[in-house]
Amino acid sequence: MMVSSSSSSSSCFVVLSLAVLLQFLFVSASTKSIDAICQRVTDKAFCVKTLTAYPPAASASTRFQAAKAALSLGMSYAGKSAVYVAKAAKENPNLKKQFAGCKDAFTTIVYSLKSASMELKESPDTSNYDVMVCTDSTTIVKNLVGKNMDKASKTVMSMTLMMEKILAIAVGATLAVGG
């Protein structure tokens, strides 16, 4: 009976040790992937905080997976921004045309980031270009509502500034894959 208990203890220790080791290796891989992206971004602290809080990036085991996650984050944010702007257009008839233009700009960002994501493996340079042209869309939004003083326009401007920070991470991601 003693041998069985000792054997059971040893097995439990080995399994527990492996679990801890695998968790350490997994966290280490995702941290290295996130660091590889954030080294290429001006606001490194924001980049690390954002990607480590985003489960697909935090659980990425390769640089490629982390980059795909960063692009996915950008698509999600741009999509939610487009939905907000579409709602604001309905609620603000005087600014309907401007908000419609903003919605189109955010929708364009979504499509550009989808394209970048699809091209990432085969052509990181093309993927990088697709992300970088998204700044044209953020400039359009700024020109459409940047001078407005209403609450919805100010919210759209805040969203646009955040979008620019997320796009910087997406650029870093394509550079991290492309070298």
Side-chain angles (χ1 to χ4, degrees):
M1 202 73 160
M2 219 34 152
V3 174
S4 177
S5 177
S6 175
S7 171
S8 178
S9 272
S10 295
S11 295
C12 187
F13 177 74
V14 169
V15 169
L16 185 60
S17 296
L18 282 173
V20 170
L21 178 63
L22 288 173
Q23 186 177 18
F24 173 75
L25 291 173
F26 183 69
V27 169
S28 178
S30 67
T31 301
K32 286 181 182 178
S33 298
I34 289 171
D35 287 345
I37 292 169
C38 295
Q39 287 175 10
R40 294 162 170 84
V41 176
T42 304
D43 191 346
K44 290 172 183 54
F46 173 79
C47 179
V48 170
K49 183 178 178 182
T50 300
L51 292 181
T52 55
Y54 186 57
S59 64
S61 58
T62 66
R63 192 179 293 194
F64 179 76
Q65 290 173 348
K68 291 281 275 191
L71 293 171
S72 173
L73 174 64
M75 284 183 267
S76 176
Y77 191 83
K80 290 176 183 177
S81 298
V83 168
Y84 175 83
V85 176
K87 182 180 174 194
K90 290 178 185 174
E91 295 173 358
N92 298 287
N94 293 342
L95 299 173
K96 186 175 184 171
K97 187 175 181 180
Q98 290 155 313
F99 285 139
C102 293
K103 179 187 174 287
D104 291 345
F106 281 115
T107 301
T108 299
I109 292 171
V110 171
Y111 288 125
S112 291
L113 293 176
K114 279 184 183 179
S115 179
S117 184
M118 290 187 296
E119 295 164 340
L120 185 60
K121 189 170 195 163
E122 298 300 320
S123 181
D125 289 341
T126 303
S127 181
N128 179 268
Y129 176 80
D130 285 345
V131 174
M132 294 190 69
V133 298
C134 292
T135 58
D136 293 345
S137 295
T138 59
T139 300
I140 288 169
V141 173
K142 288 177 182 178
N143 289 338
L144 286 169
V145 298
K147 294 179 182 176
N148 296 351
M149 300 310 283
D150 63 287
K151 184 178 178 181
S153 293
K154 288 181 179 183
T155 300
V156 172
M157 281 305 299
S158 292
M159 295 169 88
T160 303
L161 296 175
M162 180 60 72
M163 185 81 252
E164 289 178 335
K165 292 176 93 170
I166 293 170
L167 288 172
I169 294 171
V171 167
T174 61
L175 292 172
V177 171

